[in-house]
Amino acid sequence: MMPKNKESGKTAESQSQSQEKESLISTSLTENVQELTRKFGNSPDMIIRKFAIIHTQIQVAAVYIEGLVDKVIVDEFVTHAMSLNKLTEGQQKVASGSDAFAYIREKALSIGEEKVIKDWKGLFAALFSGETVILIDDSGEGISGNTSGGEVRAVTEATTQVSIRGSKESFTEAIGTNLALVRRRIKSSNLWVESFKIGEVTQTDVSIMYINGIANDKSVKKLKSNLEDIKIDAILESGYIEPFIEDKIYSPFPTIFNTERPDSVAANLLEGRIAIFVNGTPFVLIAPATFFLFFQSVDDYYQRFYVSSLIRLLRFVCLLISLFGPAIFIAVVNFHQEMIPTPLLINLASQREGVPFPAFIEAVMMEITFEIIREAGIRLPSQIGQTVSIIGGLVLGQAAVQAGIVSPAMVIVVSITGISSFATPSFNMALSIRFLRFVILFVAGFTGLYGIALIGIMLVAHMCSLRSLGVPYMSPVAPFIPEDQKDTFIRMPFKYFKTRPRLVSQKNKKRMEMNKTNGGSK
């Protein structure tokens, strides 16, 4: 048995050595070019430019992927360096491929972020990152230079989180641009960025940004651990990452906030939260996120505090209407008519005299119709979508009432409910409310107000059990933190923002020095 074990060990060792040898770049430029062509399937966007060093005739090739590089940089720093006799002054030093490699790396090229590549994995990673790789005959190494560029979308105004006052900049699909937009707002050396490669096939660039000394170390450690544990083929958008970093993926409530506004990301970083950037999407994730964060808008901090407070309170009223409005109407009409004033009850009864369906079926039909119109308006071009949403709602509602399919009161209730749902600043939270509205509507259709009260208690208990990177979802209400109520249901003046949220940032809690100007004494 012993000789067999030794023999199998030698076989495994020889196989690993052969695999390691195959993963290294060959010393023959011809073999390297053939291998590149084979692995890329002779793709036309992989460009290979060959040159010969004057007098020595040593072959050199510049390799890059078209569309991922800036051609001006490539021509200036690579092609120009190889083709315009810039190596003539050092020809006496260039006698072999290794000499040419050392000379090109040290003197001929002037590309920033140069690095040496020895294996195929590193070569492919460099090419897909927009770098240009220089391969030299009779040298088993390559030189990569940062020539990334290509066509990218310019910084434009935010489309999903529109602000009346404040910055008009929004993130783009380029992760480097997005990181720079935040750094322009927070000029601090403590603004740290850590990068990851996620996706076995896509190798997507993912970066986390946080302020060292303010962000909670436990939250940062947990987030990094969650990102490192992701095993998936592709990451095409930040939504791919959310299920892997959420504590409870089956909850109807989102526990990760997303935004396309750099000022919103900067404000959350200053409170101790962590931002997650994904290359290829303008939406940045924010964690930990609490329930009340989804009802805060950047406009709240750009207007006077009493105006912002009234608008924020209005959002919570709209939340209750959009969540319980149709359900309460159905419960009162079907089970609790004694709660309705007699004149109003007579009017409702007269309106429903010719309606052939029960109030519950009537409400479900109207809600589904409203969702269809809303979804159609979103998917159509903006000019046509607005027309379909407005005209479709008016025409269908009026026609349904005249045909006796629904009552006018039901049209009013559904319309107010739909409009109230648009007052939620976060689209993710608005989607959750739309889903829960149907659940509560079905419960109210069979159990009345008792069922609504029961499911309301269940929802509150469920939200109190949620965590976002270890932070209670309903904080600072549950657990109740008095000093953090200044920015929950209302927004107090900035002079009262003396500390950061206690459960979000547990290190540097002090945000403002007290003096005579902001209400204290030196």
Side-chain angles (χ1 to χ4, degrees), residues 70 76 100 235-236 294 297 306 374 384 394 416 486 495:
D70 188 331
E76 181 178 355
I235 298 293
L236 302 179
F294 294 91
S297 173
Y306 53 82
R374 173 156 48 183
I384 304 175
L394 292 175
I416 294 177
K486 57 184 176 292
K495 68 178 183 179

Side-chain angles (χ1 to χ4, degrees), residues 268-483:
N268 282 284
L269 289 175
L270 290 168
E271 287 192 344
R273 295 184 173 89
I274 311 166
I276 307 166
F277 296 79
V278 179
N279 193 35
T281 175
F283 290 93
V284 175
L285 304 181
I286 301 292
T290 61
F291 175 77
F292 301 97
L293 179 62
F294 294 91
F295 294 90
Q296 298 173 1
S297 173
V298 291
D299 275 332
D300 295 350
Y301 305 94
Y302 302 153
Q303 306 291 343
R304 297 183 68 84
F305 74 93
Y306 53 82
V307 176
S308 301
S309 299
L310 290 175
I311 293 176
R312 188 175 293 182
L313 289 174
L314 181 63
R315 292 194 194 114
F316 286 105
V317 172
C318 292
L319 166 66
L320 297 177
I321 294 175
S322 59
L323 197 58
F324 297 103
I328 292 176
F329 180 79
I330 295 302
V332 171
V333 169
N334 285 354
F335 300 98
H336 310 280
Q337 294 90 346
E338 68 279 0
M339 299 179 61
I340 306 175
T342 303
L344 179 59
L345 181 61
I346 295 173
N347 288 335
L348 293 176
S350 62
Q351 292 176 10
R352 292 191 44 78
E353 186 176 356
V355 177
F357 303 107
F360 170 69
I361 301 298
E362 186 183 354
V364 172
M365 290 172 52
M366 287 298 299
E367 286 289 344
I368 293 176
T369 303
F370 183 82
E371 294 297 332
I372 292 173
I373 294 174
R374 173 156 48 183
E375 191 67 19
I378 294 174
R379 305 305 166 193
L380 288 172
S382 58
Q383 295 82 359
I384 304 175
Q386 294 177 1
T387 306
V388 170
S389 299
I390 297 173
I391 297 179
L394 292 175
V395 172
L396 286 177
Q398 185 67 23
V401 172
Q402 292 180 353
I405 299 176
V406 297
S407 63
M410 184 60 70
V411 174
I412 294 173
V413 171
V414 173
S415 299
I416 294 177
T417 302
I419 295 173
S420 299
S421 65
F422 291 129
T424 303
S426 173
F427 184 70
N428 278 10
M429 182 60 71
L431 287 177
S432 300
I433 294 171
R434 288 163 61 180
F435 167 74
L436 291 172
R437 181 164 65 242
F438 280 95
V439 175
I440 298 173
L441 182 61
F442 275 92
V443 172
F446 294 97
T447 59
L449 291 178
Y450 299 105
I452 295 176
L454 179 61
I455 197 170
I457 294 172
M458 293 173 61
L459 286 176
V460 172
H462 171 70
M463 288 190 293
C464 290
S465 68
L466 293 178
R467 296 290 186 274
S468 178
L469 291 184
V471 176
Y473 190 59
M474 290 301 291
S475 64
V477 173
F480 186 77
I481 305 173
E483 60 267 25

Side-chain angles (χ1 to χ4, degrees), residues 17 61 125 127 148 157 184 207 212 354 365 416 471 502 506:
Q17 289 178 353
L127 291 178
S148 60
E157 186 175 354
R184 290 176 185 174
S207 298
N212 183 45
M365 290 172 52
I416 294 177
V471 176
R502 194 180 76 182
Q506 297 183 351

